[in-house]
Amino acid sequence: MVTIYHTVRGYGQAELEINKSRFIAYVDRVTTEEAALAFIEKIRKQHWDATHNCAAYITGENDRQQKADDDGEPSGTAGRPILEVIKKSALSNTVVVITRYFGGIKLGAGGLVRAYGKSTTQGLAKAGIVQCQLHTRMAASFDYALLGTVENNLRNQQVQIADKLFTEQVTLIILAAAGEEDQLAAKLNDWTSGRVKIEQTGNEYVETNVCLPGLNG
């Protein structure tokens, strides 16, 4: 599994006018190629009367699925610029559709590339960017008398507690960054003088809002 990747926070939309043409950017997070294609089709049905609905997406493990579609614009002037902005921003699991209503003034190849690139950047900024970092869920069980000490130390170490279970002992479900499990287990043993039972129960990604250069909303 990928340890860290960046993607959009969720749905985003931005609109701008360039030389009387109206450009509307639609952005969303997707985890499969099928979801990306469904999103593109949804926007195309919504804007069936638009001059163009150009799109690009990146999905899959190691960004395996990548596709760009000019939808009638001159080859390489729409879909490719959209895809390049996504790639330059190092984003995964992201789909972008740029709807264009032609305003009567031709932009030329260079103007189209800039317009679609700018529209994509603004759409990504509206959607927001998150860093997804792989974490291991660790269940740490110990006596109630040690709860305050363990919680304080975890807080000082900026370790996230996902849940608390209260039975004969207290169990904290802790999220340890991938690769730091052994180090955290050693600290838990130190804080409890070895009176702790630790079990790894799975993996999940923890999201953190980030600001990437050029994508300030």
Side-chain angles (χ1 to χ4, degrees), residues 9-128:
R9 185 184 303 119
Y11 178 81
Q13 181 179 333
E15 182 173 341
L16 66 157
E17 183 178 309
I18 300 176
N19 286 351
K20 296 186 178 181
S21 279
R22 180 185 175 203
F23 291 84
I24 312 169
Y26 295 95
V27 179
D28 208 354
R29 188 197 299 199
V30 290
T31 56
T32 65
E33 187 169 30
E34 291 75 15
L37 293 172
F39 181 80
I40 294 169
E41 183 62 21
K42 174 185 174 182
I43 300 302
R44 286 179 172 169
K45 286 183 177 179
Q46 179 180 339
H47 290 285
W48 59 269
D49 60 338
T51 314
H52 305 282
N53 286 289
C54 306
Y57 60 83
I58 295 178
T59 67
E61 187 76 16
N62 298 315
D63 300 334
R64 185 170 60 253
Q65 288 93 27
Q66 299 185 17
K67 189 174 181 180
D69 184 1
D70 294 313
D71 192 39
E73 292 281 30
S75 179
T77 63
R80 177 56 60 179
I82 296 170
L83 183 62
E84 287 304 315
V85 172
I86 299 173
K87 292 171 67 174
K88 185 178 179 180
S89 303
L91 300 180
S92 302
N93 294 339
T94 300
V95 58
V96 178
V97 182
I98 308 296
T99 296
R100 181 191 182 192
Y101 287 91
F102 181 57
I105 299 177
K106 293 185 177 181
L107 302 181
L112 287 172
V113 169
R114 290 189 293 273
Y116 280 101
K118 183 177 181 180
S119 298
T120 303
T121 297
Q122 292 198 7
L124 294 175
K126 289 292 185 181

